[in-house]
Amino acid sequence: MNRGLLFCHARGMAKAGLLLLLAISISSYLVACGGTPASSGPVTLTFWSWVPNLQQAIDLFEKSHPNIKIKWQNVGSGGTEYTKLTTALKAGSGAPDVVQIEYAYLPQYILSGKLVDLSQYGANDVKDQFIPWTWAQVTSGGKVYAIPQDTGPMGLLYREDIFKKYNLPVPTTWDQYAQEAIQLHKANPKIYITDFSPSDGPWFFSLLWQAGSQPFVVNGTTLKIHLDDAAALKVANYWGNLVKSGAVSTAADWNNDWYAALQNGTLATWITAAWAPSDLEGFAPKSAGLWRVAPLPQWTAGEQASANWGGSTDAVTTQCQHPAEAAEFVKWLNTNPEAVKILTQKLYLFPSQKSALQDPSFDTANAFYGGQQVNRIFVESAQEVNTSFQWSPFQDYVFSQLQNQLASAVNGKISFEQAMHNTQNAVVAYARSQGFTVVS
C-alpha cells in the first residue's frame, strides 16, 4: 500500500470511527432525553418542502449520515401542501416524516398533536444559534415543535429615481409615508406610492405585528382574541384613509399587472420582506439599478420596530417511524454551516441563524439595487422583531375572514375599523364553535 492509499485508508478509518461515535452519542443522548432511540440500520425519511434545489444540501447530509436517506418531495407550496398534510394527518397515514411549515401555520399543527416534540431529541441544544423571535415561534409549553429555517423581516423597497424626480425624501415614519403618497399621486396621477391589496392577509398581519398589536394570546385551548385592539385599529384606519384618498392603488398583487407596475414605475415602493429583493429581480428585471431599500417606516419617530412576513420551519410528524433520525436531519439542515450557506447564498432564503446573519459574505453589494448592501437593512430589521407575537391555531380561517372584510372596506361598503370589528366577532364565534375557550 503506497503512502497515498495508506493515508486514504487511515482517513477512512478515522471517518468511520467518527460516524460510529456520532451514532453512539446520538443514541445515548436520546436515551437520556426520553426520545425514541435511533435505529441500528439504514432508514429513509420522506421530506416535503417547496424550497427549490434542496437536493444539494440533502446530498451533503447523506454524505455525513450514510445510514439516513432523504426522499425529498415538493407537493406544492403553502396552502397546497397544507391541504395534503392535513388530509394525511387526519387519515393516520400518508404524511411525510419531515415537513416544511410556515410560522403562521405552525400553531394549528401543534394543537392537533401531530408534530413531534423535538426537545426529546436535543433541539434545545441549538436554540442559541437562532434569533430569539424565531425560536419563540417554534416552541409552546416548553416543547420544541420545529426548527426555524428562514425568515422575512420587513423593510421598504423604493424607486430611487421616482423619489429623486419628485423631491421626496425616503420616509422614516408612516405619517411621512402617507403625506408623500398623496404628494406623489397629485404630482403624477399615474403613479401610486404603493398598493393595498385586501387579498393579502399575511401581509396585513405583518403590519399589525410591527404596530404592536397582539391579536392572539394562546395557552393551549384557551385564547385571548384582540383583532381590533388599539394598534390594529390604528393600522386599519391608516390604510383606510389612504385608500379613501385615492393615493394608493387597491389592485390585487402577485399577478402580471402588479409585476408590470413595479417594473414600469406605476408603483414607487413595496412594503415587503427580506425574501423580496431577489424575487423583484426576477419579475422586474428592466428596473435594475433603480431600486433601493430602507428600514420600515415607524409609527413614532426614532422607534426601531419591525415585523416578519413569511419564513418557515421544518417539523417532524408523529407518523414518522424514525423521529430520532428525522430530528437529526432538521437540526443539521438548519445549523450545519455548509447547509446554511447553501440555503442562504444559493437558494436565497433569508436566514434565521445568528451566524449566517453575521457572515460578511452575506453582506455583499447588489447591482440591482445600485450597489447597495441590501441584506444589511434586513439583518438589522431581524433584530427588531417583537418576540411575543402569536398566531392563532386556525390562521387559515382568520386570514379568510380578514380578507373578506378588508375587501368590503376597500369597496366602500364598510369602514376599515368596522372590518376589524367584524373580523374579531367572526373569529371569536368560530373559536368557540371549535371548542376553544375565549377569555378577555
Side-chain angles (χ1 to χ4, degrees):
M1 186 177 291
N2 63 36
R3 290 188 63 187
L5 289 174
L6 181 62
F7 174 75
C8 290
H9 178 68
R11 189 171 59 178
M13 290 294 288
K15 183 178 178 182
L18 286 173
L19 292 173
L20 176 61
L21 181 62
L22 176 63
I24 293 172
S25 299
I26 292 173
S27 297
S28 300
Y29 188 91
L30 297 180
V31 170
C33 293
T36 303
S39 300
S40 57
V43 303
T44 297
L45 303 173
T46 54
F47 175 31
W48 286 4
S49 173
W50 60 82
V51 175
N53 302 316
L54 258 180
Q55 191 59 49
Q56 50 192 313
I58 291 172
D59 289 344
L60 275 180
F61 175 78
E62 292 180 338
K63 186 176 181 181
S64 62
H65 298 72
N67 278 343
I68 307 176
K69 300 299 179 187
I70 305 298
K71 186 178 180 182
W72 168 45
Q73 298 173 316
N74 182 348
V75 299
S77 61
T80 302
E81 183 205 83
Y82 301 144
T83 299
K84 295 175 181 176
L85 177 64
T86 300
T87 301
L89 291 174
K90 286 182 177 178
S93 65
D97 298 297
V98 179
V99 61
Q100 179 184 5
I101 301 176
E102 293 163 287
Y103 296 100
Y105 294 89
L106 194 59
Q108 65 192 57
Y109 291 107
I110 292 175
L111 191 66
S112 73
K114 302 297 185 183
L115 298 183
V116 172
D117 171 18
L118 300 177
S119 68
Q120 304 171 89
Y121 302 99
N124 279 312
D125 292 348
V126 300
K127 171 183 177 181
D128 292 340
Q129 297 186 37
F130 296 91
I131 49 178
W133 73 263
T134 63
W135 199 258
Q137 294 269 306
V138 300
T139 58
S140 178
K143 298 180 179 179
V144 182
Y145 289 100
I147 301 298
Q149 182 161 84
D150 63 305
T151 65
M154 300 285 288
L156 179 71
L157 301 183
Y158 67 97
R159 286 284 295 260
E160 185 187 50
D161 57 327
I162 295 174
F163 274 69
K164 280 186 174 178
K165 180 177 181 179
Y166 295 98
N167 297 314
L168 300 174
V170 179
T172 58
T173 68
W174 286 115
D175 282 344
Q176 183 184 0
Y177 186 85
Q179 292 166 10
E180 293 181 6
I182 295 170
Q183 185 179 341
L184 176 60
H185 192 61
K186 184 177 180 180
N188 187 338
K190 294 182 179 179
I191 299 178
Y192 298 94
I193 199 166
T194 192
D195 69 329
F196 180 90
S197 173
S199 60
D200 206 334
W203 174 79
F204 190 78
F205 251 72
S206 71
L207 300 180
L208 301 184
W209 192 337
Q210 192 227 1
S213 176
Q214 292 284 350
F216 299 102
V217 177
V218 183
N219 183 11
T221 57
T222 299
L223 309 177
K224 291 182 181 178
I225 302 175
H226 298 295
L227 282 153
D228 56 354
D229 64 13
L233 294 182
K234 177 174 67 177
V235 173
N237 285 325
Y238 175 88
W239 286 100
N241 289 334
L242 271 178
V243 169
K244 188 176 182 179
S245 74
V248 298
S249 166
T250 56
D253 53 10
W254 301 107
N255 56 45
N256 288 337
D257 288 342
W258 183 70
Y259 301 150
L262 289 169
Q263 179 158 263
N264 64 28
T266 300
L267 297 176
T269 72
W270 183 13
I271 302 163
T272 190
W275 41 261
S278 58
D279 285 9
L280 184 63
E281 290 182 48
F283 54 66
K286 293 181 180 177
S287 60
L290 302 178
W291 289 89
R292 300 291 184 274
V293 60
L296 208 59
Q298 300 293 309
W299 287 102
T300 301
E303 281 188 343
Q304 292 181 321
S306 190
N308 184 73
W309 178 23
S312 58
T313 71
D314 291 315
V316 177
T317 75
T318 53
Q319 290 184 20
C320 178
Q321 298 299 306
H322 305 288
E325 288 85 352
E328 172 64 14
F329 172 60
V330 296
K331 285 189 297 178
W332 183 94
L333 180 62
N334 296 298
T335 60
N336 178 273
E338 288 184 82
V340 170
K341 186 161 285 189
I342 290 173
L343 295 176
T344 59
Q345 297 188 20
K346 292 186 176 180
L347 308 186
Y348 303 110
L349 300 184
F350 198 85
S352 56
Q353 303 84 357
K354 294 175 183 174
S355 60
L357 292 170
Q358 295 164 0
D359 187 340
S361 65
F362 188 62
D363 189 25
T364 57
N366 188 323
F368 188 90
Y369 296 91
Q372 189 177 8
Q373 291 167 294
V374 173
N375 285 340
R376 179 172 296 179
I377 297 295
F378 291 106
V379 168
E380 292 171 358
S381 173
Q383 314 302 322
E384 298 161 356
V385 176
N386 182 352
T387 60
S388 62
F389 188 87
Q390 288 184 285
W391 302 97
S392 76
F394 36 78
Q395 200 59 37
D396 256 347
Y397 180 84
V398 176
F399 285 151
S400 68
Q401 291 301 309
L402 176 65
Q403 290 165 185
N404 289 340
Q405 292 298 324
L406 290 178
S408 293
V410 164
N411 291 327
K413 297 178 181 178
I414 58 175
S415 69
F416 274 66
E417 183 165 327
Q418 190 61 52
M420 300 309 294
H421 292 316
N422 291 350
T423 304
Q424 165 75 10
N425 293 337
V427 171
V428 167
Y430 179 80
R432 287 175 172 150
S433 73
Q434 298 299 306
F436 292 93
T437 300
V438 181
V439 298
S440 58

